[in-house]
Amino acid sequence: MKRRAIYPGSFDPITNGHIDIIRRSLKVFDEVVVVVAMNLRKSSQKSGWFSPEERIELVRKVFRGEKRVRVDLCEGLIMDYARSHKVDAVLRGLRAASDFESEFMMAAINRELNEKVETVFMMTGKNLFFVSSTVLKEVAAFGGSIQAYVPRPVWLAVKKKLQLGELR
Amino acid sequence: MKRRAIYPGSFDPITNGHIDIIRRSLKVFDEVVVVVAMNLRKSSQKSGWFSPEERIELVRKVFRGEKRVRVDLCEGLIMDYARSHKVDAVLRGLRAASDFESEFMMAAINRELNEKVETVFMMTGKNLFFVSSTVLKEVAAFGGSIQAYVPRPVWLAVKKKLQLGELR
Amino acid sequence: MKRRAIYPGSFDPITNGHIDIIRRSLKVFDEVVVVVAMNLRKSSQKSGWFSPEERIELVRKVFRGEKRVRVDLCEGLIMDYARSHKVDAVLRGLRAASDFESEFMMAAINRELNEKVETVFMMTGKNLFFVSSTVLKEVAAFGGSIQAYVPRPVWLAVKKKLQLGELR
Amino acid sequence: MKRRAIYPGSFDPITNGHIDIIRRSLKVFDEVVVVVAMNLRKSSQKSGWFSPEERIELVRKVFRGEKRVRVDLCEGLIMDYARSHKVDAVLRGLRAASDFESEFMMAAINRELNEKVETVFMMTGKNLFFVSSTVLKEVAAFGGSIQAYVPRPVWLAVKKKLQLGELR
Amino acid sequence: MKRRAIYPGSFDPITNGHIDIIRRSLKVFDEVVVVVAMNLRKSSQKSGWFSPEERIELVRKVFRGEKRVRVDLCEGLIMDYARSHKVDAVLRGLRAASDFESEFMMAAINRELNEKVETVFMMTGKNLFFVSSTVLKEVAAFGGSIQAYVPRPVWLAVKKKLQLGELR
Amino acid sequence: MKRRAIYPGSFDPITNGHIDIIRRSLKVFDEVVVVVAMNLRKSSQKSGWFSPEERIELVRKVFRGEKRVRVDLCEGLIMDYARSHKVDAVLRGLRAASDFESEFMMAAINRELNEKVETVFMMTGKNLFFVSSTVLKEVAAFGGSIQAYVPRPVWLAVKKKLQLGELR
């Protein structure tokens, strides 16, 4: 039986922490769909760097040639997406105990909305637990280099935006 | 590709919380092996109710007829067991944020010991998050009924032990 | 001696989680006043669905006929309200460990401001711990049904607002 | 209506932290019964200083003349005690977020065992959050003075035990 | 060897909690530089009361005559500031477990950016753990007195701003 | 002014995590004394591998030639030791949020016992946060190699004890 998981998030932009989770999840799932989601809790509070289309394009570049990783956009409820796309599981990374409770609540309500889909969690790699899009944006915005924490296509795109003064 | 997960724990005895995790994990894995482990951290501090053989027998009774759930004993390191039994993932239930950190550390060291096997986590069902073997033992030891929180074979075995005065 | 508690919050809108806390608190208190507060910490960051007057009206509908539950508005400091309304205790619900610390700090400073009033906490019911106004608003905004988590008058009001396109 | 709460614990011995909770709870309850419990989770792991009878005697001395505070012994399940003694609420102090989750689980299972009795929590006073019987015993065992953190009768009893070499 | 620490923060305004940390840190460091930082994570979300220049002026007034405490402004990355100012350590106060994880992540990324500088933490004093600039602003905004939690120059400046209607 | 810190713990045995904290602390302190303590909270619950004398000897071997690191034994209260040895600070490593609260309480009571000495905390290195003496002992006891997480003299001593069957 083929198992498909979705990995929802804002991915603004995708980091090495996300990539680590995706690669490791391929030991458990046959296919992983990176879902750039518009409706994750709190996402609206985050200032955007990249448009949804740009985020998708960056994920696509990173996983070019890897047939088991796809990328998609979701503009509604994640659990509605899961229902209409034959998804077996929602994948979420846990970086810290502070993530735990909001993830626990979200997993509980998602299960209420669609009890056929399970949420499974993986812990981020030990070298990457402190890498979040939010922290990286701040470091970059103040002139620090984030090259070590993002894949090459992201680093190039960030550098370009910084040079054009498009990032705050 | 067939995916096999192991679900290690002390299972002294198996509770409805464990059973909920196992059933839901079958949506993600093709086979789940319940591994009664002798070496989980802190397990030595817990006072035992059932012998490892009795625990295995109770798990077997509960999943009689369910071919995708097996039960086994592990007397050494879980990650050595995983290596020699073609395991894709270690499954762990998370009941609360306080579980998170010790699980995070254990997952990290397990990955050091065997990086081919991933640890995946599932949250316990909302009605069962407060059900642990430890709490149930205490409730039973002081005369409370735990019938609602354990499968029938466990309840019968506990009642018998209580009548014989074998549980403290 | 009659005991009166206030239960402050934003109640935008009142959920089944709030109602569970209020009903259970009536075993401890003779009267509970639901206080729609303008000045709770962080409340300003939440996007409002209902006006304070609408929130009060919804609470009133839910507890129509229940004489021991009243509803009021507080535009200043909760502890000043408590002082001028002969309040014995502030009631707060705890849903998760992450609530704990901000509540602990708030209870500490409230006690500094008015040491005659104690803050007492009750844990949310096991089926409702994941129900918060914030989560429900997001689910509803993306087309999910929240009917199971709010009282009927709230569900009718939300549906009407959604149809009029007033909720974002 | 008269409200009676029980305040269960090991009280080995009663500290100023406990006393602070009890005094403040009298603003909410008409009567508080300090229940020296034999069956609290983990209590068996704690090395005892005082016998249950001595603990009760010390509580009695501290609240001599205070008619609204009583003391009792409970050798079974707290919720059975609550049922047979017309109790409205179980009172528990919260010192830290780490207390939260085990208390949350215990409150949930207690509510399953007896849904007529609510558990209410109060935060410990800001000067006393670090005062636990366990810490005080260790400080005293290594020659530190705990006079500032326990009531006078307890301090006298501890000093006597220390001189007789009865405390380890 | 002379040791210099920087104590970065938004200090909008400096509170008695900050002052407690600074005074106690002088037992460990020879010089402490209070750094009013523009780029701390989340700081951008906080509504400002005082301009950076006003914040610096208030810190200066509080530590007038104390030669080992200086104050400065940092508009870029803290770790770049540390590099160019011969700093041995970054000092951070911890008020609660909820602070822990974001501080842990920040310390980890700061060490990546500049491994010569260590972050050291001190716990806030027991009477001040609930005192944060954010809470104090809210209390003041709703008419409560914060005189007990801030140094005199800050109290005078706040009162003046309140009278002029400049604080929201 | 020369600053001296003590770093108390059970060190049974010293791990690479401890060594990382000690080396980094030398950027802040002139001298660090590793104090093998008999009275740390909970230490009595841990099953010992090495005698205090053996632990001291292992620390000495690891820091041979490093004049700024010394090792000592403390059989009483750490704060009494600090008083009689001209100590400026107590150094503690934080590995996780779960460490935070017990450390916070211990720091608070230590400050009551001796307010001249401050407790400062450092976070463990990102690659070592999951390395604790307790976990390593369990891994070793079940046949796993801990060579990567302890210094060479400790590894040799553990191997010898394992061969002699002295470790359980």
Side-chain angles (χ1 to χ4, degrees):
Chain A
M1 198 168 98
K2 261 184 81 171
R3 313 270 185 209
R4 176 186 291 157
I6 53 173
Y7 181 38
S10 48
F11 301 105
D12 182 32
I14 189 167
T15 69
N16 288 348
H18 297 128
I19 293 171
D20 175 63
I21 292 281
I22 294 166
R23 294 217 187 282
R24 286 160 53 206
S25 75
L26 290 173
K27 297 181 198 163
V28 178
F29 297 103
D30 297 284
E31 186 178 86
V32 174
V33 186
V34 178
V35 175
V36 175
M38 309 282 88
N39 70 328
L40 280 186
R41 248 200 314 163
K42 288 179 193 162
S43 65
S44 58
Q45 297 172 15
K46 294 182 193 168
S47 57
W49 261 21
F50 292 95
S51 74
E53 292 69 29
E54 289 172 318
R55 297 177 207 180
I56 285 175
E57 185 55 28
L58 286 171
V59 176
R60 196 164 280 146
K61 276 184 182 163
V62 171
F63 289 101
R64 181 154 293 161
E66 171 55 88
K67 294 212 171 101
R68 295 163 64 204
V69 180
R70 293 199 301 109
V71 58
D72 202 355
L73 183 73
C74 171
E75 294 179 289
L77 278 179
I78 288 294
M79 297 320 274
D80 287 340
Y81 181 97
R83 191 175 284 110
S84 57
H85 287 76
K86 291 196 177 172
V87 165
D88 300 293
V90 173
L91 173 68
R92 295 287 290 164
L94 288 174
R95 278 179 309 147
S98 55
D99 288 348
F100 176 84
E101 291 193 328
S102 59
E103 292 291 337
F104 196 19
M105 288 185 188
M106 194 47 94
I109 203 150
N110 277 343
R111 213 175 153 217
E112 295 271 315
L113 294 169
N114 182 351
E115 72 172 1
K116 288 195 186 142
V117 176
E118 293 299 330
T119 305
V120 301
F121 298 88
M122 294 178 78
M123 306 277 183
T124 53
K126 66 177 176 173
N127 289 319
L128 296 162
F129 73 91
F130 56 86
V131 174
S132 72
S133 298
T134 308
V135 165
L136 294 186
K137 279 182 214 174
E138 188 170 293
V139 170
F142 286 90
S145 170
I146 62 170
Q147 191 167 2
Y149 313 113
V150 292
R152 189 167 165 75
V154 169
W155 175 232
L156 295 176
V158 167
K159 262 207 311 194
K160 199 169 161 190
K161 290 229 173 198
L162 283 168
Q163 281 159 4
L164 296 171
E166 286 179 6
L167 303 183
R168 188 198 53 85
Chain B
M1 197 169 95
K2 260 184 82 173
R3 312 269 186 211
R4 176 187 290 157
I6 53 174
Y7 181 37
S10 49
F11 300 104
D12 182 33
I14 190 168
T15 69
N16 289 347
H18 298 129
I19 293 170
D20 174 64
I21 292 283
I22 295 166
R23 292 214 187 286
R24 286 159 53 208
S25 74
L26 290 173
K27 296 180 198 161
V28 177
F29 297 102
D30 297 284
E31 186 179 85
V32 173
V33 187
V34 178
V35 175
V36 174
M38 308 282 89
N39 70 329
L40 281 185
R41 245 194 325 159
K42 288 183 195 159
S43 66
S44 60
Q45 297 172 15
K46 293 182 191 167
S47 57
W49 262 22
F50 293 95
S51 72
E53 292 70 31
E54 289 172 319
R55 298 177 205 176
I56 286 175
E57 186 54 30
L58 287 170
V59 175
R60 197 164 279 145
K61 277 184 181 162
V62 171
F63 289 101
R64 181 154 292 164
E66 170 56 86
K67 295 219 170 95
R68 294 164 63 205
V69 180
R70 292 198 303 108
V71 59
D72 202 354
L73 183 73
C74 171
E75 293 180 287
L77 278 179
I78 288 296
M79 297 320 274
D80 287 340
Y81 182 97
R83 192 174 285 114
S84 57
H85 287 76
K86 291 194 177 176
V87 165
D88 300 294
V90 174
L91 173 68
R92 296 287 291 164
L94 287 175
R95 279 179 309 147
S98 55
D99 288 348
F100 175 83
E101 291 193 329
S102 59
E103 291 291 338
F104 195 18
M105 288 184 188
M106 194 48 94
I109 202 151
N110 277 342
R111 213 175 153 218
E112 296 270 316
L113 294 171
N114 181 351
E115 71 172 4
K116 289 195 184 141
V117 177
E118 293 300 329
T119 304
V120 300
F121 297 89
M122 295 179 77
M123 307 277 184
T124 54
K126 67 178 176 174
N127 288 320
L128 296 163
F129 73 90
F130 56 85
V131 174
S132 72
S133 299
T134 308
V135 164
L136 294 185
K137 280 183 215 175
E138 188 171 293
V139 169
F142 286 90
S145 171
I146 62 171
Q147 194 168 359
Y149 314 113
V150 291
R152 190 167 164 75
V154 169
W155 176 230
L156 296 176
V158 167
K159 261 206 314 193
K160 199 169 160 191
K161 289 229 173 199
L162 284 168
Q163 282 159 5
L164 295 171
E166 285 179 6
L167 302 183
R168 189 197 52 85
Chain C
M1 196 167 98
K2 261 184 82 170
R3 312 269 185 211
R4 175 187 291 158
I6 53 173
Y7 181 36
S10 48
F11 301 102
D12 180 34
I14 190 167
T15 70
N16 289 348
H18 297 128
I19 293 170
D20 174 65
I21 291 283
I22 294 166
R23 293 218 188 283
R24 287 159 53 208
S25 74
L26 291 173
K27 297 180 198 163
V28 178
F29 297 103
D30 298 283
E31 186 178 87
V32 174
V33 186
V34 178
V35 175
V36 175
M38 308 282 91
N39 69 329
L40 279 185
R41 249 200 315 161
K42 290 180 193 161
S43 66
S44 59
Q45 297 172 16
K46 294 181 191 169
S47 57
W49 262 22
F50 293 96
S51 73
E53 292 70 29
E54 290 172 317
R55 299 177 204 178
I56 286 174
E57 185 55 29
L58 286 170
V59 176
R60 197 165 277 144
K61 276 183 182 162
V62 171
F63 289 102
R64 181 154 292 162
E66 171 56 86
K67 296 214 171 98
R68 293 164 63 206
V69 180
R70 293 197 302 110
V71 58
D72 203 355
L73 182 74
C74 171
E75 294 180 287
L77 277 178
I78 289 294
M79 298 319 274
D80 287 341
Y81 181 97
R83 191 176 283 112
S84 57
H85 287 75
K86 288 194 178 175
V87 165
D88 300 293
V90 173
L91 173 68
R92 295 288 290 163
L94 286 175
R95 278 179 309 147
S98 54
D99 288 349
F100 176 84
E101 292 193 328
S102 60
E103 291 289 339
F104 195 19
M105 288 184 188
M106 194 48 95
I109 203 151
N110 277 342
R111 212 175 154 216
E112 296 271 316
L113 294 169
N114 181 352
E115 71 171 3
K116 287 194 185 145
V117 176
E118 293 299 330
T119 305
V120 301
F121 298 89
M122 294 179 77
M123 306 277 182
T124 54
K126 66 175 175 174
N127 289 319
L128 298 162
F129 73 92
F130 56 86
V131 175
S132 72
S133 298
T134 308
V135 165
L136 294 185
K137 279 182 213 174
E138 188 171 292
V139 170
F142 287 89
S145 170
I146 61 170
Q147 191 167 4
Y149 314 112
V150 293
R152 190 168 165 73
V154 169
W155 175 232
L156 296 176
V158 167
K159 264 208 310 195
K160 199 170 163 189
K161 290 229 171 197
L162 283 168
Q163 282 160 3
L164 295 172
E166 287 180 5
L167 301 185
R168 188 198 53 88
Chain D
M1 196 169 97
K2 257 184 85 172
R3 312 269 186 207
R4 174 188 293 158
I6 53 173
Y7 181 38
S10 49
F11 301 105
D12 182 34
I14 190 167
T15 69
N16 288 348
H18 298 129
I19 294 170
D20 174 63
I21 291 283
I22 295 165
R23 292 215 188 285
R24 285 158 53 207
S25 74
L26 291 172
K27 296 180 199 163
V28 177
F29 297 103
D30 297 285
E31 185 178 87
V32 174
V33 186
V34 179
V35 175
V36 175
M38 308 282 89
N39 71 329
L40 281 185
R41 251 201 311 166
K42 290 180 193 161
S43 67
S44 61
Q45 294 171 17
K46 294 181 193 169
S47 58
W49 263 23
F50 293 95
S51 73
E53 293 69 30
E54 289 172 319
R55 298 176 205 178
I56 286 175
E57 185 55 29
L58 287 171
V59 176
R60 198 164 278 143
K61 276 183 181 162
V62 170
F63 289 101
R64 183 153 291 163
E66 171 56 85
K67 294 218 171 94
R68 294 164 64 205
V69 180
R70 290 198 305 109
V71 58
D72 202 354
L73 184 73
C74 171
E75 293 179 288
L77 279 178
I78 289 294
M79 298 318 274
D80 287 341
Y81 182 96
R83 192 175 284 113
S84 57
H85 287 78
K86 293 195 175 175
V87 165
D88 300 292
V90 174
L91 173 68
R92 295 287 289 165
L94 287 174
R95 278 180 308 148
S98 54
D99 287 348
F100 176 84
E101 291 193 329
S102 60
E103 291 290 337
F104 196 18
M105 289 185 188
M106 194 48 94
I109 203 150
N110 277 343
R111 212 174 154 217
E112 295 272 313
L113 294 169
N114 182 351
E115 70 170 5
K116 288 193 185 143
V117 176
E118 294 298 332
T119 304
V120 301
F121 298 89
M122 295 178 78
M123 307 277 184
T124 51
K126 65 176 177 173
N127 289 318
L128 296 163
F129 74 90
F130 57 86
V131 174
S132 73
S133 298
T134 308
V135 164
L136 294 185
K137 280 183 214 174
E138 188 171 291
V139 169
F142 286 89
S145 171
I146 62 170
Q147 193 167 1
Y149 313 112
V150 291
R152 187 166 168 75
V154 169
W155 175 232
L156 295 175
V158 167
K159 261 205 315 192
K160 199 169 162 190
K161 289 228 173 200
L162 283 168
Q163 281 159 3
L164 294 171
E166 287 179 5
L167 302 183
R168 189 193 53 86
Chain E
M1 197 168 96
K2 261 184 84 174
R3 313 268 186 213
R4 175 188 290 158
I6 53 174
Y7 181 39
S10 48
F11 301 103
D12 182 33
I14 190 168
T15 70
N16 289 348
H18 297 130
I19 293 170
D20 175 62
I21 292 282
I22 295 165
R23 293 216 186 284
R24 286 159 54 208
S25 74
L26 291 173
K27 296 181 199 164
V28 178
F29 297 103
D30 297 285
E31 184 178 86
V32 174
V33 186
V34 178
V35 174
V36 174
M38 307 284 90
N39 70 329
L40 279 185
R41 251 203 310 165
K42 288 176 191 163
S43 65
S44 59
Q45 297 173 16
K46 294 182 192 169
S47 57
W49 262 21
F50 292 95
S51 72
E53 293 69 29
E54 288 172 319
R55 298 176 205 179
I56 286 174
E57 184 56 28
L58 287 170
V59 176
R60 196 163 279 145
K61 275 183 182 162
V62 171
F63 289 101
R64 180 153 295 162
E66 171 56 86
K67 294 213 172 100
R68 294 164 62 204
V69 180
R70 292 198 301 109
V71 58
D72 202 356
L73 184 73
C74 170
E75 292 180 288
L77 279 178
I78 288 294
M79 297 319 274
D80 287 340
Y81 182 97
R83 190 174 286 112
S84 57
H85 287 75
K86 290 196 178 173
V87 165
D88 300 293
V90 173
L91 173 68
R92 295 287 289 166
L94 287 173
R95 277 180 310 147
S98 54
D99 288 348
F100 176 84
E101 291 192 329
S102 59
E103 291 291 337
F104 195 20
M105 289 185 189
M106 195 47 95
I109 202 150
N110 278 342
R111 216 179 149 212
E112 295 271 316
L113 294 170
N114 182 350
E115 72 172 3
K116 288 196 185 141
V117 176
E118 295 298 329
T119 305
V120 300
F121 298 88
M122 295 178 77
M123 307 277 184
T124 53
K126 66 177 177 175
N127 288 320
L128 296 163
F129 73 91
F130 56 87
V131 174
S132 72
S133 299
T134 308
V135 165
L136 294 186
K137 280 183 211 174
E138 188 171 293
V139 170
F142 285 88
S145 170
I146 61 169
Q147 191 168 3
Y149 313 113
V150 291
R152 191 169 165 75
V154 169
W155 175 232
L156 296 176
V158 167
K159 264 206 312 193
K160 198 169 164 191
K161 290 228 172 198
L162 284 167
Q163 282 160 2
L164 295 171
E166 287 179 4
L167 303 184
R168 190 193 52 85
Chain F
M1 196 168 98
K2 259 182 82 170
R3 312 272 185 209
R4 175 188 292 158
I6 53 173
Y7 181 37
S10 48
F11 301 103
D12 182 33
I14 189 167
T15 69
N16 288 348
H18 298 128
I19 293 170
D20 175 63
I21 291 283
I22 294 166
R23 292 218 188 283
R24 286 159 54 206
S25 75
L26 290 173
K27 297 182 199 160
V28 177
F29 297 103
D30 297 284
E31 185 178 86
V32 174
V33 187
V34 178
V35 175
V36 175
M38 307 283 88
N39 69 328
L40 280 184
R41 252 199 314 162
K42 288 180 194 161
S43 66
S44 60
Q45 295 172 18
K46 293 181 191 167
S47 58
W49 263 21
F50 292 96
S51 72
E53 291 71 28
E54 289 172 319
R55 299 176 204 177
I56 286 175
E57 185 54 29
L58 287 170
V59 176
R60 197 164 280 147
K61 276 182 183 164
V62 170
F63 289 101
R64 184 154 290 161
E66 171 56 87
K67 295 219 172 95
R68 294 163 63 205
V69 180
R70 291 198 303 109
V71 58
D72 202 355
L73 183 73
C74 170
E75 293 180 288
L77 279 177
I78 288 295
M79 298 319 273
D80 287 341
Y81 182 96
R83 192 176 284 111
S84 56
H85 287 77
K86 291 195 175 172
V87 165
D88 300 293
V90 173
L91 173 69
R92 295 287 291 163
L94 287 174
R95 278 179 310 149
S98 55
D99 289 348
F100 177 82
E101 290 192 330
S102 59
E103 291 290 338
F104 195 19
M105 288 186 189
M106 193 49 92
I109 202 151
N110 277 342
R111 210 171 157 218
E112 295 271 316
L113 294 170
N114 182 352
E115 69 171 5
K116 288 194 186 144
V117 176
E118 293 299 329
T119 305
V120 300
F121 297 90
M122 294 178 77
M123 307 277 184
T124 53
K126 66 176 176 173
N127 289 317
L128 296 163
F129 73 91
F130 57 86
V131 174
S132 73
S133 298
T134 307
V135 164
L136 293 186
K137 280 184 215 176
E138 189 171 289
V139 169
F142 286 88
S145 171
I146 61 170
Q147 193 167 1
Y149 314 113
V150 291
R152 188 166 166 74
V154 169
W155 176 232
L156 295 177
V158 167
K159 262 208 310 194
K160 198 169 162 190
K161 290 228 173 201
L162 284 167
Q163 282 159 1
L164 295 171
E166 286 179 4
L167 302 183
R168 192 196 49 87

